[in-house]
Amino acid sequence: MIADRLKKLIEDNPKANGKSMSLQTIAIKAEGRVSPSYLSRILNGVVDNPSDKKLEVIAGVFGVSLDYFREEDTQLDEDLDALKIRMRNLSPDKYEDAQLILQATLKQIEQMRQQDDQDDKEVS
Amino acid sequence: MVDIGKIEKCIEDLEYDFSIFEVDSFLQAVGQHIGKAILVSSVLLNHAQGAWVSSNYAEHIFYRTGINNRNKLRVLLHEAGHILLKHDTLMIGDSGGELKFKSVFDRDELEELEAESFSAIIFSMIGSNDLGQGKTTRSQLDKLFDE
């Protein structure tokens, strides 16, 4: 989940030329408080629970708060973990469909969350 | 055994004017009735024609990319039937510990028959009204999807 959120931050914050920010650039912007290899390990899921201190530094680079990584991380994650275990019982064709539907649903949920956040910001 | 009376009441409770049926306004009426948004999108499914997933944010209806408009309408009505008939489905983010993922693909046979009946009843209603004599033509279906 942290990896997905970091990936999304990078996708949503391209450089002026439209290309994705490199891990080296992020590390430089973080003034060396996180290394490119550490960022890579997060993105690859090798480090799946970075410290708040590290996440705060990364969040700062993109102008968001630590909450971006930690918010609503619990119930949905638990649901998804349980779901993935159950999905293993499906036949291969149904399993593939299930994954597609799950991904599409999560994408829609994410879009609605972002819309909610934007609406909240506009109100405040 | 399918309780047709229950399904007809469910349709009646929507208070929707089927003589001027439109897909968007129908799904909007379903959403208003249950107090939740209905999101419809296509997915490149291999096995299923359609599926319905529920979340805190919306009811998510999916149909297989590339199916013709008649099947698309049938899928949308079928899944709307599941929603209105309060069938089980996968809940994301508000599961209360009970996930019902299996029901998305291996539904209870009675629930499937109920959703099919729901779809068939509405097909007959719109077929005998706006779409003409119980038989919907391709151009009439295309019109429903504004294509």
Side-chain angles (χ1 to χ4, degrees), chain A residues 72 75-76 78-80 82-83 86-87 90 93-94 96-102 104-106 108-109 112-113 116, chain B residues 37 39-41 43-48 51 53 55 57-58 60 62 90-95 99-101 105-106:
Chain A
E72 295 181 63
Q75 183 63 53
L76 186 57
E78 284 169 20
D79 285 356
L80 292 177
L83 194 55
R86 287 185 180 214
M87 279 166 62
L90 294 170
D93 52 349
K94 288 182 181 177
E96 206 173 320
D97 278 359
Q99 288 227 330
L100 291 167
I101 287 168
L102 185 59
T105 308
L106 293 175
Q108 288 179 346
I109 291 174
M112 293 183 91
R113 271 185 183 164
D116 279 358
Chain B
L39 296 181
V40 176
S41 54
V43 176
L44 279 165
L45 299 170
N46 303 296
H47 172 80
V53 176
S55 76
Y57 290 86
H60 310 255
F62 300 101
L90 164 65
M91 299 280 297
I92 292 183
D94 189 21
S95 64
L99 282 162
K100 293 166 177 168
F101 188 71
F105 290 107
D106 293 303

Side-chain angles (χ1 to χ4, degrees), chain B residues 13-18 20-40 59 61 76-77 80 83-84:
Chain B
D13 287 348
L14 261 185
E15 295 181 345
Y16 181 80
D17 184 357
F18 285 93
I20 48 167
F21 181 86
E22 284 176 351
V23 179
D24 288 347
S25 68
F26 170 74
L27 291 173
Q28 204 173 356
V30 173
Q32 276 168 0
H33 188 72
I34 61 166
K36 232 171 171 185
I38 308 282
L39 296 181
V40 176
E59 302 297 340
I61 295 179
L76 298 183
L77 293 176
I83 294 169
L84 287 169

